[in-house]
Amino acid sequence: MPDKSGNMEIHENQQDSWSETESIGSRGMHVGFSGPLSGPLSGPLVTTSHKRNGSKNKSARFKDDDEMVEITLDVRDDAVSVQNIRGGDSETAFLASRLEMRPSSFSGRLRQVSRELKRMTSNKAFDKVDRSKSGAARALRGLKFMTKSAAGGEGWSLVEKRFDELAIDAKLPKTRFSQCIGMTESKEFAGELFDALARRRGITSSSVTKNELREFWEQITDDSFDSRLQTFFDMVDKDADGRITEEEVKEIITLSASANKLSKLQERAEEYAALIMEELDPDNFGYIELYNLEMLLLQAPAQSTHITTDSRVLSQMLSQRLVPTKEYNPIKRGFRAVSYFVQDNWKRLWVIALWLSICAGLFTWKFIQYKHRAVFHVMGYCVTVAKGGAETTKFNMALILLPVCRNTITWLRSRTKLGAIIPFDDNINFHKVVAFGIAIGVGLHAISHLTCDFPRLLHATDAEYEPMKPFFGDDRPNNYWWFVKGTEGWTGVLMVVLMAIAFILAQPWFRRNRLNLPKSLKKLTGFNAFWYSHHLFVIVYVLFIIHGYFLYLSKKWYKKTTWMYLAVPMILYGCERLLRAFRSRHKSVRILKVAVYPGNVLALHVSKPQGFKYSSGQYIYVNCSDVSPFEWHPFSITSAPGDDYVSVHIRTLGDWTSQLKAVFAKACQPANDGQSGLLRADMLQGNNKPRMPRLLIDGPYGAPAQDYKNYDVILLVGLGIGATPLISILKDVLNNIKQHQDVEEGVVESGVKDNKRKGFATKRAYFYWVTREEGSFEWFKGVMNEVAENDKEGVIELHNYCTSVYEEGDARSALITMLQSLHHAKSGVDIVSGTRVKTHFARPNWRNVFKHTALKHPDKRVGVFYCGAHGLVGELKRLSLDFSRKTSTKFDFHKENF
């Protein structure tokens, strides 16, 4: 009979207790127990029947008001297994499976079964979590130890192949387990998983056979959530007593933090373990059990990584429209591709078409002109090609200066409407295209002269040479050296050499140090080499003018047209350089604050020079004489126009930035508690002001991101340090929000602020920041918290992503997700970023991001602004075009260029 206290009573027919040496006869046994199983229970009844093979069938019945659950166990001398389950659900089956263990003796096993039945039917254990809720449904799809992609997409067959390669004496060592199952990036985590799987099976060896590995594999790839939960629990429960202590929680937090490269979380593992125990063990038992872990996982606040909308119908309709339709007709398919290309690139196309037309026209004009001159009869088509190439080179040498007239382009972008037809964002790309045109023109000119024209002249007969005397003298040149040592020759050769050096060192492989060169040669590459070699253009232009004046075949001054091509662009560029020098040296800046952050980032706050006006998204050039008096480097402004200072965040990637950080770090001190950064120097506080290096700034200059004010909705995407221009935009939008609040509260008159914010169209901003390291979030921690505090109406939507953490649903990040939800709910602070903004894990699903924006803003034009590595440009641009064509929302893509 069950007693009301929940104690277990064992009634036997022949004797009061079982001994370890007794033989098992045909006697029956009744186990009486009371406890709730999803409600009040009348108690389980366990009956035993003897079989010939020495095993017993035990049937345990749990009677509810609504249903009967019967569990039949097969008890042998060396094992206990579940034979049959009638009634109940998947959770009942899972809990019953915990009875399947290998006992050391039958009586010991019986006592263990009794304890398990008591635990299974305890009140809290069967206080079931509602798995139908959206957060629980998402969690049920998570906690995965292994996916198909992790195993290379081939599952067990690939693991078996690896086993054959890695096994020693037909056994796989624990040290090679991670490599075998495809978890090479998390060896420590894989080692703990190995131990948990081995404990469950009573394996004490540090190596496993193929059959045992197969069992391991089937368990970690099991689709059942309950099975995955049990595996995770076993990893934490190292002594296999069915209970998790605070020390074990701390160990698994440390392990998860290490696997996800979260060093700060690892340092605070003890604090977070106490937080979990406080939440899950309110009665201070000193341990938690499996059902506690399930409750924490399933009832945790849902992550917003998977963006949802209010209307599922609209979302489904949009998804159907975005399904690509295959066109089988190659002509129609090609026509559609061309029409899309023209539609997306018409600005670039007409500029390139115009440029090519001018080059072709100049080449043809000179080609025809020299074909009708006497020199053609001696040198042939070689001279026509050489002169045609020279004419295009003159034009391109003049044109290449215009894309780098930064002040002029900034003025045209900001003050005129030419941006509607001219792609100012592509100024650097056009500069590169023109440079390629110069290389072709110089090649045609030099090769035609050196390999064809000069040899033909040397080998011409006296009659053929007669018309050449006015150009080359009465005495015919007697050797090849005569042409080279002349002014026309040596200036041309020297120009080609200097151009080749500048062109080669400007290539990404050399400029970004991508080549594996010896140390001696590596010093000759990098940004410094690019910068100095590019300034050889001063010598090149001087040589170019001299070369264009001392011509063999043109003696009249008005036919020497090189100076005519170059005059206006060189004067314009010269004025630009004088303006930069004047502005940088007469608008001095005072350093207000310096901070060195994790991830090798240096933040500089300087005073705003008088009359210095800029827009968010623009950039400035910075010079530090302590590093180099000549070098100027561009950096995005991270402060907002309304701030009383100018700030930049500089990541040390090259030689100049590394030296700059080292110079400023000397003047800094370790940060105090409550301050962000590793090193800091605040010039506004304290009397001991260190000596700061002299800093000059030049700018501001226009950039694609400054056009954000033209859009009602903006989508900002930053990768790593690429978030810098976007942070300035966020701060500007935030300042606009504050000003509107001031107007509403009557702090200021509306007319004053309306004049200042004229043309500010942005009503909604989405910010996505993707970074590898948790320390990166310290760079703009203050901005994130300020937005979260002041943006009451939800104008700005912040999404931070940390890619070092495994994606949601991965067992390696499961505990991090649980802990994040707990800590954020309690304190409002994210454990990864240290801000009020909750961090997402892994990379965003960009298609879902665009889909979310399109659904929320139909019939709107959205400005997409991206700054970061080039690898994401193609995907974001494709999605912008795709959604613009297939939805009523139009996405305009802009990319930052330096």
Side-chain angles (χ1 to χ4, degrees), residues 48 51 117 152 235 263 347 366 437 476 506 518 594 605 622 683 700 803 807 809 864:
T48 306
K51 291 186 177 181
L117 287 173
M235 285 186 66
S263 57
K347 289 184 185 179
K366 278 297 174 181
R476 182 172 53 186
V594 180
H605 291 230
V622 176
M683 305 301 290
T803 58
E807 63 184 345
V864 182

Side-chain angles (χ1 to χ4, degrees), residues 414 490 503 585 709 808 812:
S414 305
W490 69 263
F503 189 82
R585 282 164 175 76
K709 290 184 180 180
E808 184 184 356
R812 287 167 286 188

Side-chain angles (χ1 to χ4, degrees), residues 674 676 769 776-786 833-835:
S676 61
W769 184 19
S776 304
F777 295 114
E778 282 199 32
W779 306 344
F780 308 115
K781 185 176 179 179
V783 178
M784 298 292 171
N785 288 331
E786 194 176 358
S833 66
T835 69

Side-chain angles (χ1 to χ4, degrees), residues 461-535:
T461 62
D462 292 339
E464 290 174 335
Y465 183 74
E466 189 64 28
M468 300 293 100
K469 287 183 178 180
F471 308 111
F472 296 97
D474 294 336
D475 297 327
R476 182 172 53 186
N478 53 6
N479 55 44
Y480 199 86
W481 179 247
W482 187 90
F483 296 101
V484 177
K485 71 180 181 180
T487 303
E488 301 89 337
W490 69 263
T491 54
V493 172
L494 187 55
M495 264 196 303
V496 170
V497 172
L498 295 178
M499 283 181 175
I501 292 172
F503 189 82
I504 291 171
L505 293 180
Q507 300 309 306
W509 309 288
F510 294 96
R511 183 162 56 93
R512 298 186 183 275
N513 276 327
R514 290 177 182 171
L515 293 179
N516 225 348
L517 298 173
K519 284 187 178 180
S520 55
L521 293 177
K522 207 170 185 67
K523 293 179 180 178
L524 302 177
T525 62
F527 189 87
N528 278 352
F530 157 76
W531 193 89
Y532 285 114
S533 65
H534 243 58
H535 280 74

Side-chain angles (χ1 to χ4, degrees), residues 626-878:
D626 287 29
V627 178
S628 172
F630 306 110
E631 293 183 50
W632 293 81
H633 294 260
F635 299 101
S636 297
I637 301 173
T638 55
S639 54
D643 295 334
D644 56 359
Y645 61 89
V646 178
S647 66
V648 292
H649 285 66
I650 302 169
R651 185 158 197 176
T652 56
L653 295 173
D655 39 17
W656 186 88
T657 50
S658 297
Q659 292 175 46
L660 184 73
K661 178 192 167 187
V663 166
F664 276 98
K666 292 178 182 177
C668 295
Q669 299 293 329
N672 299 325
D673 292 339
Q675 290 183 323
S676 61
L678 304 175
L679 301 170
R680 292 176 68 93
D682 197 334
M683 305 301 290
L684 299 178
Q685 298 176 1
N687 298 321
N688 297 327
K689 296 182 179 179
R691 178 198 170 274
M692 286 290 180
R694 184 166 179 254
L695 209 64
L696 301 176
I697 64 172
D698 173 40
Y701 293 108
Q706 77 177 66
D707 296 330
Y708 74 95
K709 290 184 180 180
N710 300 331
Y711 297 92
D712 289 338
V713 181
I714 55 175
L715 178 60
L716 311 174
V717 180
L719 261 60
I721 197 64
T724 47
L726 312 180
I727 287 294
S728 178
I729 294 174
L730 276 186
K731 293 181 73 175
D732 199 27
V733 174
L734 181 63
N735 287 343
N736 187 54
I737 294 171
K738 289 180 178 179
Q739 288 167 3
H740 278 298
Q741 290 174 352
D742 291 342
V743 171
E744 290 175 1
E745 294 171 4
V747 178
V748 295
E749 296 179 6
S750 73
V752 176
K753 291 300 179 184
D754 287 345
N755 290 334
K756 289 187 178 182
R757 309 306 295 174
K758 187 177 180 180
F760 199 100
T762 307
K763 301 293 187 296
R764 196 79 164 90
Y766 299 92
F767 176 64
Y768 288 82
W769 184 19
V770 185
T771 183
R772 270 197 315 266
E773 305 158 349
E774 61 171 335
S776 304
F777 295 114
E778 282 199 32
W779 306 344
F780 308 115
K781 185 176 179 179
V783 178
M784 298 292 171
N785 288 331
E786 194 176 358
V787 169
E789 182 179 349
N790 292 283
D791 185 19
K792 307 296 184 185
E793 298 179 1
V795 175
I796 302 173
E797 194 173 293
L798 301 177
H799 297 273
N800 294 338
Y801 284 81
C802 185
T803 58
S804 70
V805 184
Y806 289 95
E807 63 184 345
E808 184 184 356
D810 194 301
R812 287 167 286 188
S813 63
L815 193 65
I816 306 297
T817 304
M818 300 177 202
L819 185 57
Q820 182 192 45
S821 298
L822 267 182
H823 194 268
H824 198 275
K826 184 177 180 180
S827 64
V829 176
D830 183 66
I831 61 171
V832 177
S833 66
T835 69
R836 299 184 184 183
V837 182
K838 207 168 182 181
T839 303
H840 307 301
F841 302 146
R843 289 175 173 80
N845 183 326
W846 293 114
R847 177 165 284 273
N848 282 350
V849 170
F850 276 80
K851 181 179 175 182
H852 167 70
T853 308
L855 284 170
K856 291 197 72 174
H857 305 283
D859 302 315
K860 295 287 187 181
R861 185 167 290 275
V862 179
V864 182
F865 298 91
Y866 171 72
C867 186
H870 188 73
L872 191 57
V873 172
E875 183 179 358
L876 293 181
K877 190 174 182 181
R878 236 179 355 259

Side-chain angles (χ1 to χ4, degrees), residues 293-449:
L293 200 60
E294 178 189 8
M295 183 174 64
L296 176 62
L297 181 64
L298 298 186
Q299 290 186 342
Q303 288 274 356
S304 58
T305 305
H306 301 278
I307 299 169
T308 58
T309 62
D310 295 333
S311 175
R312 287 189 178 183
V313 177
L314 284 174
S315 179
Q316 290 171 358
M317 289 174 61
L318 182 58
S319 298
Q320 291 172 0
R321 262 189 289 173
L322 291 171
V323 173
T325 55
K326 185 170 179 63
E327 176 60 63
Y328 292 97
N329 188 321
I331 297 176
K332 289 183 178 180
R333 189 167 63 245
F335 178 78
R336 186 172 64 181
V338 171
S339 63
Y340 282 168
F341 180 78
V342 172
Q343 179 184 348
D344 301 333
N345 298 279
W346 67 270
K347 289 184 185 179
R348 299 182 183 92
L349 289 174
W350 85 261
V351 171
I352 294 296
L354 178 63
W355 173 69
L356 289 174
S357 299
I358 294 173
C359 290
L362 292 172
F363 184 91
T364 304
W365 171 52
K366 278 297 174 181
F367 186 95
I368 294 173
Q369 186 184 84
Y370 273 82
K371 188 177 180 181
H372 294 91
R373 293 184 62 174
V375 70
F376 178 76
H377 300 291
V378 178
M379 300 181 180
Y381 284 103
C382 296
V383 71
T384 58
V385 172
K387 288 301 179 179
E391 203 66 20
T392 62
T393 302
K394 295 176 192 177
F395 170 68
N396 286 326
M397 286 290 285
L399 184 63
I400 200 171
L401 294 174
L402 298 182
V404 291
C405 290
R406 295 192 290 267
N407 288 292
T408 304
I409 289 177
T410 300
W411 185 85
L412 291 173
R413 179 201 292 273
S414 305
R415 303 295 179 87
T416 70
K417 301 295 184 182
L418 289 175
I421 59 172
I422 298 176
F424 288 118
D425 294 350
D426 291 319
N427 62 319
I428 298 301
N429 290 331
F430 187 62
H431 176 80
K432 295 174 182 177
V433 170
V434 175
F436 184 70
I438 291 174
I440 294 176
V442 169
L444 291 174
H445 182 75
I447 293 172
S448 296
H449 273 332

